[in-house]
Amino acid sequence: MSEAEPPRDWAAFQYEIYLNGMTGAVPRLPTDLTLLEEVTEQRLGTGPVGYVAGSAGNGRTAHANRAALDRLRIVPRVLRDISKRDLSVEVLGARLPAPFALAPVGVLSIMHPGAEPAAARAAAAQGVPFILSSASSTPMEKVAEAMGDSERWFQLYWPKDRDVTLSFLSRAKKCGFSALFVTLDTPLLAWRPRDLDQAYLPFLHGVGTANYFTDPAFQAGLAKPVHEDLNAAVLHWVQMFSDPSKTWPDLAFLRENWDGPIVLKGIQHPDDARRAADFGVDGIVVSNHGGRQVNGAIGSADALPGVVEAVGDRLTVLFDSGIRTGDDIFKALALGARAVLLGRPYAYGLGLDGQAGVEHVIRCLLAEFDLTLALSGHSTPGELTPDALAPI
Ligand SMILES: Cc1cc2nc3c(=O)[nH]c(=O)nc-3n(C[C@H](O)[C@H](O)[C@H](O)COP(=O)(O)O)c2cc1C
Ligand SMILES: O=C(O)C(=O)c1ccccc1
């Protein structure tokens, strides 16, 4: 979106739905997005749904993410002119039409055959950025092709193999991914009972490994081509997918080899946020991976104020983990996040109705956010401060 473009009227989706209702049409999916998980559970297979909906351990962190947001309360203000609103924000040098992006979610083909290209097309159609996972089921070149020149960012699972890392960075650059999101909370896969009980892990069947299997540097480490020995390729992937021995000084390698913005994803502690700022990264995502990694961890929205206080004036603070409704976005922004990322709900939208389902999720969420903003007396995200919330 260029500066000259008028602000987008997100709340117009509300009128559109009622207007369509005059001909008897109702939305294909619920407009209360918290219902999507249950609908998806009913319609999709237990393996895929368990993988997406599941969390680490007995789900305490996923629960804490919701509890942290639910505990906050908005205090509405009245008699302020809220007739003209502009939800756009500047993030990593790009003007976004709303403080929102789709989070990197791996293996989307288990939800829908359209997989990442369908989700990316939905993001492009709505003008919001799409963050492509390293563990996508579609090679990054195909996803980029589906997006035209829409804003896209690449999420790096930082491989053990230096040449594969360099190859990913150069492919991503060539494909027009403008920022690099380095995920730091997944050096190992957590204890995930829903997947363990079903012995379900798509990667072991070569699903979610497309970026690796199509990569010349990855292929160079194989004795036979992937299609001739899938098991060997999968085993190679398992041992090079991540490097749990990495530490802060290793980040210099990424800085040297990526000339765009770098964002560290998975920060919860103010001291880690300070280290990120000292190192000079452009942003961080306050995230606990949607509660999928450390069971018993702090709710992400409970971690946010301390991180904002530590580094809010030094880099861009983004937020995810638990966002489900428009007021959740309001709360995260009031606590100091510049924008939020959305994970599971768009994966459910994709599973239920492909690209249209993802667009439905984006439009519902941002219409609800716009109305929440307006009805509590604000016209832009920049006006939100902790004052908009009841003291906690
Ligand atoms: C099925 C699934 C796969 C995910 N895959 C990735 C991934 O490949 N890379 C990554 O950085 N985060 C991944 N995440 C985490 C999301 O980017 C995001 O942090 C999280 O989903 C936010 O929480 P929410 O689902 O409550 O919105 C994944 C999350 C889910 C649910
Ligand atoms: O499932 C996840 O949360 C995830 O981020 C992931 C993606 C690919 C491989 C391993 C973990």
Side-chain angles (χ1 to χ4, degrees):
M1 190 174 121
S2 77
E3 298 285 348
E5 260 179 71
R8 179 165 168 171
D9 181 2
W10 290 101
F13 190 39
Q14 185 195 41
Y15 296 111
E16 193 182 311
I17 291 173
Y18 287 130
L19 216 59
N20 286 339
M22 295 174 74
T23 65
V26 296
R28 289 158 62 90
L29 300 181
T31 53
D32 173 354
L33 302 179
T34 63
L35 301 175
L36 288 180
E37 180 170 324
E38 200 185 320
V39 180
T40 309
E41 300 245 4
Q42 290 157 3
R43 296 210 204 144
L44 266 68
T46 52
V49 172
Y51 182 71
V52 173
S55 318
N58 63 354
R60 278 208 192 92
T61 304
H63 186 262
N65 285 339
R66 283 305 321 156
L69 287 162
D70 285 338
R71 213 184 303 119
L72 298 167
R73 295 282 184 265
I74 297 166
V75 187
R77 304 295 305 271
V78 296
L79 287 177
R80 299 171 167 207
D81 180 359
I82 44 96
S83 58
K84 292 191 192 69
R85 298 181 303 282
D86 182 354
L87 264 53
S88 70
V89 291
E90 180 119 354
V91 176
L92 306 170
R95 194 84 203 161
L96 310 186
F100 176 86
L102 295 188
V105 172
V107 268
L108 284 175
S109 64
I110 63 173
M111 288 279 104
H112 191 274
E116 291 83 8
R121 259 187 228 106
Q126 295 302 321
V128 303
F130 181 71
I131 312 180
L132 180 70
S133 165
S134 279
S136 56
S137 28
T138 316
M140 63 180 102
E141 289 77 7
K142 281 231 167 87
V143 179
E145 213 178 281
M147 290 194 76
D149 56 9
S150 268
E151 194 67 34
R152 49 184 173 271
W153 302 331
F154 184 72
Q155 178 267 327
L156 183 72
Y157 272 133
W158 193 352
K160 200 171 279 177
D161 189 309
R162 189 188 148 89
D163 292 338
V164 174
T165 307
L166 288 173
S167 182
F168 270 29
L169 297 184
S170 94
R171 287 170 66 192
K173 193 88 215 163
K174 214 177 284 170
C175 290
F177 292 92
S178 58
L180 188 69
F181 281 59
V182 186
T183 301
L184 300 176
D185 55 20
T186 316
L188 303 165
L189 202 60
W191 185 254
R192 296 182 181 173
R194 266 184 94 162
D195 299 335
L196 292 163
D197 289 348
Q198 301 194 70
Y200 181 85
L201 198 61
F203 312 101
L204 300 188
H205 305 281
V207 180
T209 51
N211 286 319
Y212 305 84
F213 287 6
T214 57
D215 192 275
F218 180 88
Q219 290 167 352
L222 300 174
K224 288 184 189 165
V226 174
H227 65 271
E228 281 180 27
D229 194 346
L230 183 63
N231 285 345
V234 166
L235 288 177
H236 188 54
W237 179 84
V238 168
Q239 63 82 32
M240 59 75 62
F241 169 74
S242 97
D243 175 4
S245 76
K246 286 213 160 56
T247 58
W248 286 94
D250 292 314
L251 282 175
F253 177 78
L254 296 181
R255 179 86 284 169
E256 279 158 27
N257 292 288
W258 178 264
D259 59 14
I262 293 181
V263 177
L264 302 184
K265 179 170 181 281
I267 300 290
Q268 297 277 274
H269 197 293
D271 286 348
D272 280 348
R274 278 187 205 99
R275 277 203 92 151
D278 291 346
F279 182 79
V281 295
D282 304 271
I284 55 176
V285 187
V286 174
S287 165
N288 58 29
H289 214 100
R292 294 165 71 80
Q293 286 299 98
V294 180
N295 194 32
I298 183 170
S300 200
D302 282 334
L304 182 57
V307 169
V308 168
E309 197 191 333
V311 298
D313 53 349
R314 299 174 70 194
L315 44 66
T316 300
V317 178
L318 306 176
F319 174 85
D320 82 22
S321 298
I323 297 285
R324 296 292 177 272
T325 58
D327 56 289
D328 292 337
I329 302 181
F330 182 108
K331 291 169 181 177
L333 266 47
L335 293 180
R338 173 64 62 92
V340 304
L341 314 183
L342 184 75
R344 292 182 187 85
Y346 93 79
Y348 301 142
L350 179 71
L352 293 168
D353 203 13
Q355 176 183 342
V358 180
E359 290 195 52
H360 172 87
V361 167
I362 297 168
R363 296 188 79 189
C364 285
L365 191 65
L366 293 178
E368 193 184 23
F369 170 59
D370 188 11
L371 291 167
T372 305
L373 191 78
L375 292 170
S376 48
H378 312 273
S379 305
T380 66
E383 290 165 28
L384 298 180
T385 67
D387 276 351
L389 304 175
I392 36 170

